[in-house]
Amino acid sequence: MTTQTKTQKNPSFVLKAKNDIIYEDRPIPELPSPHDVIVKPRWTGICGSDVHYWVEGRIGHFVVEKPMVLGHESAGIVHSVGDKVTTLKVGDRVAMEPGVPCRRCIRCKEGKYNLCPDMQFAATPPFDGTLARYYALPEDYCYKLPESMSLEEGALIEPTAVAVHITRQAGIKPGDSVVVFGAGPVGLLCCAVAKAYGATKIVTVDINDERLQFALKFAATTSFKSARASAEENAKNMIKGCELGPGADIIIDASGAEPCIQTAIHALRMGGTYVQGGMGKPDINFPIMAMCTKELNVKGSFRYGSGDYQTAVDLVATKRISIKELITNKVKFDDAEEAFRDVKAGKGIKILIEGPEE
């Protein structure tokens, strides 16, 4: 694909329809309010949801009905500020929280703005994403990066905030045993955050040996490779092989795979906690009897809420977790489509796309 992004005012990476991506020159955004800023995204990570929209044209009831700019895992440099902005200035380096709620509904007022029914989330139809030269956000959804943190690391704050929210839903505390199904970016970050929160045993579960080995070097204390067996048998083998005693205190699913979810319920101890972080099929067979008789705490987790983004920045800034190891490739803006193909093919862990050249 040929592009001329240097001569365009606001070059953008646009999904026109299912399997149809183009580069397009979009209008430079104006400040929607005096409390907003315009940021130049410098690095953007590719999320599975971006690829899903590209391949399927939809996720659940979110359907791509008109051209949409992709990307939402970004960090950039403040380009301009509204006249009522007090915490940021031109040139500041920021992590960009890509979802802006209404701030007025009951969910927003009780601090669960991630559940706002009127959320405007980047690269979720019909809202444009961050793979462009310019992007507008409220100042309080931009988090200043410390000098010790690179903009590339800043782009990984978004999936880190997802992991922070999942682990908060789980209520991880010092001494807990935690099992994380799925050793993709979010699963790996859940292991890292769980370790930072004091979990003493962190089991990573996957079917890919290479990813399991990476997880052990990154944050997990032990690993378990799922076998082609019943959920009860896999759970029994995990509990024994990983020395989980009566079962795990907390299990997080970051895979969305039905067998993983089933195994997790059977591998929890009585009164344990299960958090669903991965997206999967709309409907699955679920071991409801085991959930009931063990009196499990079963929770969902969606994106991130109040304080999660700042916590993610703080965890990285204070070196309680390290995230740069997850970056396996970086590409130029004009090579974004090829990077999407690599993510679809399962290459690497996290691929970053550089912002358009000036």
Side-chain angles (χ1 to χ4, degrees):
M1 180 181 294
T2 59
T3 60
Q4 295 180 340
T5 56
K6 288 183 182 179
T7 60
Q8 294 175 336
K9 293 182 179 179
N10 187 25
S12 306
F13 188 63
V14 178
L15 177 65
K16 284 187 68 179
K18 177 180 174 181
N19 291 312
D20 186 6
I21 288 178
I22 64 167
Y23 289 89
E24 187 174 283
D25 196 6
R26 292 288 187 94
I28 296 174
E30 296 181 357
L31 289 168
S33 116
H35 297 283
D36 290 351
V37 302
I38 292 176
V39 181
K40 282 187 168 183
R42 296 313 305 147
W43 291 100
T44 298
I46 302 174
C47 175
S49 66
D50 293 314
V51 176
H52 203 87
Y53 280 123
W54 171 47
V55 174
E56 302 293 338
R58 66 184 299 158
I59 295 178
H61 66 278
F62 295 106
V63 181
V64 179
E65 296 179 339
K66 65 176 185 177
M68 176 183 78
V69 179
L70 291 170
H72 64 270
E73 300 182 1
S74 296
I77 298 171
V78 175
H79 171 71
S80 58
V81 302
D83 58 17
K84 294 203 174 163
V85 170
T86 60
T87 62
L88 296 172
K89 64 182 185 303
V90 173
D92 280 344
R93 302 155 61 253
V94 294
M96 303 160 60
E97 183 171 353
V100 181
C102 76
R103 305 179 191 257
R104 293 180 294 275
C105 70
I106 292 173
R107 299 289 82 80
C108 283
K109 288 181 176 180
E110 69 183 8
K112 296 182 178 179
Y113 66 75
N114 57 313
L115 305 180
C116 173
D118 295 319
M119 172 69 77
Q120 298 181 18
F121 199 88
T124 297
F127 304 106
D128 286 322
T130 58
L131 275 169
R133 182 171 285 155
Y134 301 101
Y135 191 80
L137 272 175
E139 69 170 314
D140 55 329
Y141 282 75
C142 296
Y143 300 81
K144 199 179 296 187
L145 299 178
E147 289 301 318
S148 60
M149 194 185 304
S150 69
L151 281 165
E152 291 93 328
E153 289 172 295
L156 266 64
I157 292 300
E158 197 276 348
T160 306
V162 171
V164 167
H165 191 70
I166 290 171
T167 52
R168 278 188 171 166
Q169 289 290 86
I172 293 172
K173 61 186 185 300
D176 278 341
S177 59
V178 178
V179 177
V180 179
F181 281 84
V186 170
L188 291 166
L189 287 164
C190 283
C191 290
V193 177
K195 185 176 181 180
Y197 285 177
T200 51
K201 179 165 287 186
I202 303 165
V203 181
T204 178
V205 184
D206 207 288
I207 58 173
N208 185 304
D209 287 318
E210 189 176 344
R211 292 217 164 184
L212 288 174
Q213 288 305 310
F214 183 92
L216 286 170
K217 293 177 183 176
F218 184 65
T221 61
T222 187
S223 66
F224 181 80
K225 185 176 182 178
S226 297
R228 290 188 176 275
S230 69
E232 293 94 333
E233 187 175 348
N234 263 326
K236 182 180 177 181
N237 291 337
M238 181 197 302
I239 289 169
K240 182 179 179 181
C242 300
E243 299 180 346
L244 290 169
D249 295 313
I250 292 165
I251 296 187
I252 292 164
D253 177 70
S255 73
E258 183 173 0
C260 295
I261 296 165
Q262 295 166 340
T263 301
I265 297 301
H266 290 293
L268 280 161
R269 65 163 172 81
M270 293 285 190
T273 296
Y274 175 79
V275 179
Q276 185 63 47
M279 298 281 192
K281 295 190 299 183
D283 299 294
I284 64 166
N285 290 316
F286 187 83
I288 192 169
M289 187 66 74
M291 181 193 77
C292 289
T293 56
K294 290 204 235 178
E295 201 171 295
L296 300 179
N297 303 294
V298 178
K299 299 181 180 181
S301 185
F302 187 56
R303 295 175 178 158
Y304 22 75
S306 182
D308 293 330
Y309 236 81
Q310 187 60 57
T311 297
V313 171
D314 293 343
L315 285 170
V316 177
T318 58
K319 303 191 184 305
R320 292 184 67 193
I321 68 171
S322 179
I323 56 177
K324 58 182 179 291
E325 295 86 352
L326 300 183
I327 302 170
T328 47
N329 194 19
K330 297 187 288 186
V331 303
K332 296 290 187 182
F333 188 74
D334 289 354
D335 297 322
E337 186 171 0
E338 189 60 36
F340 267 66
R341 295 187 191 283
D342 286 345
V343 173
K344 181 186 174 185
K347 295 180 181 178
I349 295 172
K350 183 59 69 174
I351 299 175
L352 300 186
I353 299 170
E354 191 172 10
E357 292 183 27
E358 297 296 330

